[in-house]
Amino acid sequence: MNTTLHQVITRRLLKDYEFKDKEGTWLREGRCPHCGKKELYTRAESPWVIRCGRENKCGWEGHVKDLYADLFESWSDRFAVTETNPHAAAGAYLTHARGFDITRLRGSYTQESYVDRELDASTATVRFPLPGGGYWERLIDRPQRFGKKKARFNYGSQHAGHWWVPPGLDLKTVDEVWIVEGIFDAIALWLHGIPAVAALTCNNYPRHALEQLATLHGLRRPTLVWALDTDGTDNDGAGQRYIRKWVKEARQQGWDCKAAQIKQTGRGKIDWNDLHQRDRLGPEHLKDYLHEGALLIARTPSEKALLIYNLANKAEFPFEFGNRLWWFKLDLGKYAKAREALEDKDNGLTDDELKDAALQECNAVTPISTCYPRALYYQRNDVTDESWYYFRVSLPDDRPAVKNTFTGAQIMAAAEFGKRLASICAGGLYTGNTAQLMRLMEEQLAGIKTVETIDFIGYSKEHGTYVLGDVAVKDGALYELNSEDYFEIGKLNIKSLLQSMKLTVNANRADYNDAWFSQLWTAFGVKGLVALAFWLGTLFAEQIRASDKSFPFLEVIGEAGAGKTTLIEFLWKLLGREHEGIDPTKSTLAGRTRTFGQVGNLPMVMIEADRSNGADKQHAKQFDWDELKPLYNGRIGRARGIKSAGNETYEPPFRGTVVISQNAVVDASDAVLQRIVHLNFDKSGHSAEGGAAGKALENWSMEQVSGFILAAVRRETKILATMAEYAPGYEAMLKAHPNLKSVRICKNHAQIMALVDALEHVVPISADQKRATFDLLTQMAVDRQQAINADHPIVQEFWELFDHLNETDQGEKLNHSRDDELIAVSLPEFQSRATQFGLRVPAYSDLKRLLPESRARQFQTYRTVNSAIRITDGRGVSVKCWVFRRERAVASKH
């Protein structure tokens, strides 16, 4: 171990695991993170692996490469290339990260570099030339930046049918050849004296290499040991499937075959290189790996059962064969009689065939399920206190495996287990008893891993991760859903439980085409860019609220046919969803609360909430725009009870953004209107060219454009830095505008301006397009200020009718006030006079709700007034009136 690296690791181990100072060649009495006992130990001079001394009760072990990953990331920064050592970082990586003696590898590798242009990231690599032409290389500088791409073949590599051979391994002299997947695995075995070659991928059958090997050895061919990677999925992983396939094919070609497999513990995948670093490639260990391999390629249930029995010497146990669940129970008396009877018949059977036939005769092996259920992991929803075990059910035919959940109660009783199995899997029957089920669960649930869950889709602030359907993004790196339906992101295992909303995001960069941007500009102009900027900001709403404490709503209104639906449906496609929005008037408050909680850093679009007539009118009144106010700051504002014996409630945060799309302007309080960025679409700017562009936008498929969301969130750091840099300046500029008074309006529009700047990280926006969009946003802010200064349209209509009916040649007819500064009006009298003249007036209930908010003529009170216009016997009549202060510009005497 490198001296500097050794000092840093030792210092951290002493601090983090409470080891005692060095005692001879060992560090001892560290605290185990798994069982908590002071039983950890490791070698003092080379502390690569830490182990718990309670081998039977705990058995935890950790490699410093996993425990302190930051020390094994940027190799080219710590080991600079020199003229005398041009492969310094590559050599250091192979030595310290892989544990190899590089003196035996000299000349077989070089140090190169790789650049990912989309991520604008580069790294040094360790490169190995391949037979057939081309190369394979491992990325060695912070490879997590590149997601799952931690290694790569060059484009057009011709390695199919070949294998890679470690330098100095002479295949002419070997009696056995181990065939593994990776180059590092082959090196690890070779350094332990095991002749190993790398097939490079599990689906690469080394046909040409085997032909050459057969030529070298003639009739005395070596035995092939197939040792491809295992993923711990009980014969259902790609490596296991291909081992069985290649063993069958190789045997047909005259090769003697074995298999070797590493039994996974569920605490992270272990490969041959990991075993090399853990000193677990000795003869006693190889025996276990060959036994696991023999189980994998057993030809009959009885053969597999005997292998297990001979090793474990258990009288009964469950096991899998052919994607069915079997039970082995040996009655030695019946077995002996059956074998004796078969020997007496002298059918020429071999000893193994006699064993197999005798086991079948005494019914020692019986099927107890028509499929094979395997518990993969435990998942829990802490909010609702619900938990499940996630199972994969493999089927014996060509149907794909079924994956679903079982509750704790369902895995504790054979009857309940059988019911659940039959309900999730066509033809899935369990015929065993509860004792057999308990034995199966005991084996499968020991050390089972836990997967963290979220009950929404999108960005999880707690995990710093975007969960977007079948892909996830964290720190700019892309991850795909694994075969067990969750994301493995370093030490984080995470999945979404939400099933009612799906995103279909195409992660193939080559399929993404940003030519749509010019069509969006042609069809919708600057208003389209404002909407796009808001959509971009939506993807970072949680981060923006964390710094700015708020994020605005977007209102898209306009007459029918103006293009609102086309725009919103296309913007949804950029996020991987065929959708327009939800109608809040058709759901209950509880339903809307749940809907608002379904997304993180995604928009919640509300449509058609402006109904004001017909059968929907009464139902529409159930929706109040003021419900939206808490969403502006990231709160839903409504708690729901949790089923428990206590007083627990759950008030979910609002993680998304709000988009309102309808024909009419939102009719709401000032508090809501100030939170809105308002876009008004009409047909005045429509043209044949714009219509064609709009039609072209409709024809883009999600496969072509959904890469937008990945292009955006993978540039999270740059986009948020742009927001932080420009938003304060834009806000100050708007506050200085003479027509802007509302701080909230200035802040909202400044955020969208900064997001227009951030668009340049994702789409080819020009300087002219940005300037035009800034001008529009400034005008939108002014218009919004005027909108909140003005009276509600119903109030404006009321005063227009009042002035028309009140002022006549004979004087005022509706104003009862004797004070020249006031107006006193009786609403019943106002409505009666309007009806007399055939005028339609606003609803009485709307007037009662909105008149107190009158601004042009400020509402004072509702009281009895001595009328100046209704006189009886020379005295004014008392009338109940709404009293307002008259506009000074129109104040006059009676």
Side-chain angles (χ1 to χ4, degrees):
M1 181 178 285
N2 174 271
T3 303
T4 303
L5 185 64
H6 177 264
Q7 292 174 349
V8 174
I9 289 175
T10 301
R11 188 162 55 247
R12 289 195 184 184
L13 290 176
L14 292 173
K15 177 184 177 182
D16 297 342
Y17 296 95
E18 305 174 25
F19 280 103
K20 281 191 174 182
D21 289 336
K22 177 181 176 182
E23 297 180 2
T25 60
W26 298 92
L27 292 177
R28 297 187 182 277
E29 296 186 36
R31 187 172 300 280
C32 176
H34 190 254
C35 68
K37 303 295 184 181
K38 295 273 290 182
E39 295 283 352
L40 285 187
Y41 68 93
T42 187
R43 293 183 182 275
E45 299 305 320
S46 55
W48 288 111
V49 183
I50 330 170
R51 292 188 174 93
C52 181
R54 304 171 74 236
E55 186 172 344
N56 293 328
K57 295 184 178 180
C58 177
W60 181 87
E61 68 176 26
H63 196 283
V64 292
K65 186 174 65 174
D66 301 319
L67 301 175
Y68 302 123
D70 59 301
L71 300 177
F72 300 87
E73 289 186 339
S74 293
W75 295 95
S76 56
D77 292 340
R78 294 168 53 204
F79 298 91
V81 170
T82 64
E83 289 186 9
T84 57
N85 190 0
H87 312 303
Y93 173 81
L94 292 172
T95 301
H96 303 305
R98 295 293 172 173
F100 297 152
D101 177 4
I102 60 171
T103 60
R104 299 180 62 182
L105 294 172
R106 299 284 187 200
S108 65
Y109 68 90
T110 58
Q111 180 174 328
E112 307 292 343
S113 63
Y114 168 72
V115 177
D116 188 310
R117 301 194 183 281
E118 181 170 338
L119 294 176
D120 192 22
S122 61
T123 173
T125 67
V126 182
R127 181 176 294 180
F128 292 85
L130 300 179
Y135 60 82
W136 173 89
E137 61 185 353
R138 179 62 160 81
L139 317 187
I140 64 174
D141 290 331
R142 290 181 291 138
Q144 69 275 9
R145 294 175 296 163
F146 305 92
K148 296 188 71 174
K149 189 202 297 183
K150 295 182 179 180
R152 59 184 292 271
F153 293 97
N154 69 299
Y155 181 74
S157 174
Q158 301 294 318
H159 61 273
H162 298 277
W163 58 36
W164 180 88
V165 183
L169 174 58
D170 186 1
L171 295 179
K172 291 181 183 178
T173 62
V174 300
D175 296 323
E176 195 173 73
V177 178
W178 286 53
I179 304 173
V180 297
E181 276 189 48
I183 286 177
F184 294 150
D185 291 327
I187 294 173
L189 291 168
W190 169 63
L191 291 176
H192 282 263
I194 303 167
V197 296
L200 304 170
T201 61
C202 64
N203 60 355
N204 176 36
Y205 183 70
R207 192 177 313 279
H208 305 312
L210 287 174
E211 290 172 357
Q212 295 170 5
L213 185 64
T215 302
L216 287 174
H217 285 265
L219 296 177
R220 299 189 61 183
R221 297 180 178 183
T223 299
L224 306 180
V225 181
W226 296 88
L228 306 178
D229 287 352
T230 178
D231 55 10
T233 56
D234 282 317
N235 306 326
D236 201 33
Q240 292 94 326
R241 292 197 303 272
Y242 277 108
I243 284 179
R244 292 195 299 270
K245 180 177 180 179
W246 299 150
V247 165
K248 182 178 179 181
E249 186 166 343
R251 282 173 172 167
Q252 291 173 349
Q253 295 171 1
W255 294 94
D256 289 331
C257 291
K258 297 180 182 178
Q261 288 281 273
I262 305 166
K263 188 172 185 178
Q264 304 294 330
T265 62
R267 297 173 185 167
K269 179 183 173 182
I270 301 294
D271 60 25
W272 301 108
N273 187 195
D274 295 322
L275 295 179
H276 161 69
Q277 294 178 295
R278 288 162 169 76
D279 296 325
R280 286 165 49 191
L281 286 177
E284 69 281 9
H285 302 111
L286 294 180
K287 181 180 178 182
D288 293 336
Y289 309 142
L290 289 168
H291 171 75
E292 290 296 322
L295 294 178
L296 176 64
I297 61 175
R299 305 183 202 200
T300 65
S302 298
E303 179 184 344
K304 185 170 184 177
L306 277 179
L307 287 169
I308 299 172
Y309 172 75
N310 289 336
L311 181 70
N313 200 28
K314 297 178 181 177
E316 52 184 314
F317 50 82
F319 67 98
E320 178 276 338
F321 185 85
N323 285 341
R324 295 187 68 178
L325 181 62
W326 300 75
W327 185 261
F328 175 86
K329 183 176 182 180
L330 183 60
D331 185 322
L332 291 176
K334 289 183 178 179
Y335 172 76
K337 290 180 179 180
R339 176 157 184 162
E340 183 179 351
L342 288 169
E343 288 175 343
D344 290 343
K345 292 181 180 179
D346 192 17
N347 292 326
L349 300 175
T350 65
D351 189 61
D352 287 340
E353 290 171 339
L354 279 171
K355 287 182 180 179
D356 187 59
L359 286 171
Q360 292 181 1
E361 288 284 341
C362 65
N363 295 320
V365 177
T366 55
I368 59 173
S369 178
T370 58
C371 49
Y372 181 62
R374 168 68 185 179
L376 301 178
Y377 51 86
Y378 173 80
Q379 60 186 43
R380 177 178 177 80
N381 187 333
D382 289 327
V383 172
T384 60
D385 194 28
E386 295 175 293
S387 60
W388 307 267
Y389 290 91
Y390 198 71
F391 275 70
R392 183 189 57 251
V393 182
S394 303
L395 302 164
D397 49 29
D398 293 332
R399 286 180 293 163
V402 174
K403 285 173 280 191
N404 215 314
T405 57
F406 286 70
T407 65
Q410 288 168 341
I411 66 171
M412 295 298 291
E416 294 302 314
F417 185 81
K419 291 176 185 177
R420 178 60 176 166
L421 186 63
S423 68
I424 66 171
C425 176
L429 299 177
Y430 177 76
T431 57
N433 56 41
T434 297
Q436 292 170 328
L437 177 64
M438 287 297 96
R439 184 67 173 272
L440 177 69
M441 293 297 103
E442 182 182 359
E443 293 182 1
Q444 293 191 359
L445 302 186
I448 193 169
K449 61 192 166 194
T450 298
V451 173
E452 297 187 44
T453 64
I454 57 176
D455 59 357
F456 57 93
I457 193 166
Y459 181 73
S460 171
K461 180 173 62 176
E462 294 75 15
H463 302 99
T465 302
Y466 289 86
V467 179
L468 308 169
D470 292 340
V471 296
V473 176
K474 181 177 175 62
D475 299 329
L478 180 69
Y479 301 86
E480 294 182 4
L481 199 68
N482 67 13
S483 61
E484 296 181 1
D485 296 340
Y486 69 92
F487 296 101
E488 296 177 274
I489 306 175
K491 295 182 179 180
L492 172 66
N493 297 328
I494 188 171
K495 69 181 295 186
S496 172
L497 298 177
L498 186 68
Q499 299 296 319
S500 59
M501 178 179 174
K502 299 289 186 181
L503 295 184
T504 305
V505 179
N506 184 0
N508 188 347
R509 300 180 195 176
D511 292 339
Y512 176 60
N513 188 340
D514 63 7
W516 57 264
F517 179 74
S518 63
Q519 295 171 350
L520 181 74
W521 172 260
T522 302
F524 296 101
V526 287
K527 294 180 181 179
L529 290 197
V530 170
L532 180 63
F534 181 91
W535 229 254
L536 177 69
T538 290
L539 300 176
F540 307 97
E542 286 275 69
Q543 297 93 315
I544 293 172
R545 286 198 193 100
S547 59
D548 295 357
K549 308 306 178 187
S550 66
F551 192 80
F553 307 153
L554 177 67
E555 179 186 12
V556 181
I557 71 156
E559 56 189 291
K564 304 185 303 296
T565 299
T566 297
L567 175 62
I568 289 177
E569 287 184 347
F570 176 76
L571 292 176
W572 267 121
K573 285 183 182 180
L574 297 180
L575 309 187
R577 190 180 185 195
E578 293 276 6
H579 187 60
E580 183 183 2
I582 64 164
D583 184 346
T585 68
K586 292 183 177 179
S587 63
T588 63
L589 176 59
R592 289 193 295 272
T593 301
R594 286 180 178 268
T595 301
F596 288 145
Q598 289 180 344
V599 297
N601 282 5
L602 292 172
M604 183 55 62
V605 182
M606 296 187 293
I607 60 173
E608 309 300 340
D610 57 336
R611 291 189 185 87
S612 58
N613 52 51
D616 291 327
K617 180 177 180 180
Q618 183 176 358
H619 187 63
K621 290 182 180 179
Q622 295 180 10
F623 178 68
D624 183 356
W625 289 109
D626 279 2
E627 284 182 29
L628 301 183
K629 285 193 296 185
L631 308 184
Y632 179 76
N633 304 105
R635 299 184 298 273
I636 288 181
R638 183 177 185 272
R640 66 174 184 257
I642 296 176
K643 185 179 180 180
S644 70
N647 295 322
E648 290 82 2
T649 60
Y650 174 52
E651 184 176 353
F654 179 61
R655 306 176 180 89
T657 62
V658 174
V659 179
I660 304 162
S661 175
Q662 55 188 30
N663 294 334
V665 177
V666 168
D667 175 9
S669 65
D670 281 355
V672 173
L673 296 180
Q674 287 183 24
R675 289 164 162 80
I676 291 175
V677 172
H678 175 84
L679 279 175
N680 188 356
F681 287 83
D682 55 40
K683 299 179 182 179
S684 61
H686 282 200
S687 64
E689 184 182 11
K695 189 67 176 177
L697 286 177
E698 293 178 342
N699 292 330
W700 284 96
S701 68
M702 281 199 305
E703 186 178 56
Q704 294 172 301
V705 299
S706 60
F708 171 85
I709 188 173
L710 298 181
V713 300
R714 297 185 75 178
R715 292 169 174 80
E716 175 184 356
T717 302
K718 292 182 178 180
I719 289 172
L720 293 177
T722 300
M723 281 285 299
E725 179 180 357
Y726 291 109
Y730 291 134
E731 185 175 353
M733 178 190 75
L734 292 175
K735 286 179 179 177
H737 196 287
N739 296 327
L740 290 173
K741 305 299 181 184
S742 170
V743 173
R744 182 176 286 163
I745 290 175
C746 294
K747 181 179 182 180
N748 293 342
H749 290 77
Q751 287 177 325
I752 305 302
M753 286 180 168
L755 287 166
V756 172
D757 278 320
L759 277 174
E760 66 184 5
H761 297 302
V762 190
V763 295
I765 186 172
S766 70
D768 290 341
Q769 289 171 331
K770 287 169 63 175
R771 279 193 294 270
T773 310
F774 293 151
D775 291 342
L776 174 65
L777 281 163
T778 302
Q779 185 58 49
M780 287 167 57
V782 173
D783 293 343
R784 181 84 328 200
Q785 182 72 62
Q786 293 174 350
I788 65 170
N789 291 341
D791 280 325
H792 191 279
I794 291 179
V795 176
Q796 294 180 32
E797 182 183 358
F798 169 79
W799 287 120
E800 288 175 4
L801 291 171
F802 174 85
D803 290 340
H804 175 72
L805 296 170
N806 180 54
E807 299 172 1
T808 68
D809 293 340
Q810 293 79 32
E812 294 187 308
K813 296 296 184 181
L814 291 175
N815 182 13
H816 293 272
S817 177
R818 294 178 179 272
D819 188 336
D820 292 340
E821 298 293 325
L822 300 176
I823 296 174
V825 58
S826 166
L827 290 187
E829 186 177 351
F830 164 79
Q831 289 187 312
S832 175
R833 185 169 176 80
T835 302
Q836 180 183 349
F837 284 89
L839 298 176
R840 182 177 178 181
V841 300
Y844 187 73
S845 59
D846 288 340
L847 289 175
K848 288 179 65 177
R849 177 171 57 89
L850 296 172
L851 281 177
E853 299 177 8
S854 177
R855 294 188 181 89
R857 297 168 180 177
Q858 188 176 14
F859 174 71
Q860 299 295 300
T861 184
Y862 176 69
R863 61 180 172 84
T864 301
V865 173
N866 183 264
S867 176
I869 60 174
R870 190 184 300 175
I871 308 295
T872 302
D873 298 329
R875 301 176 61 185
V877 176
S878 296
V879 181
K880 282 280 190 178
C881 291
W882 292 67
V883 182
F884 302 86
R885 183 164 295 281
R886 188 189 291 270
E887 292 173 295
R888 291 189 180 275
V890 297
S892 63
K893 294 288 184 181
H894 285 289

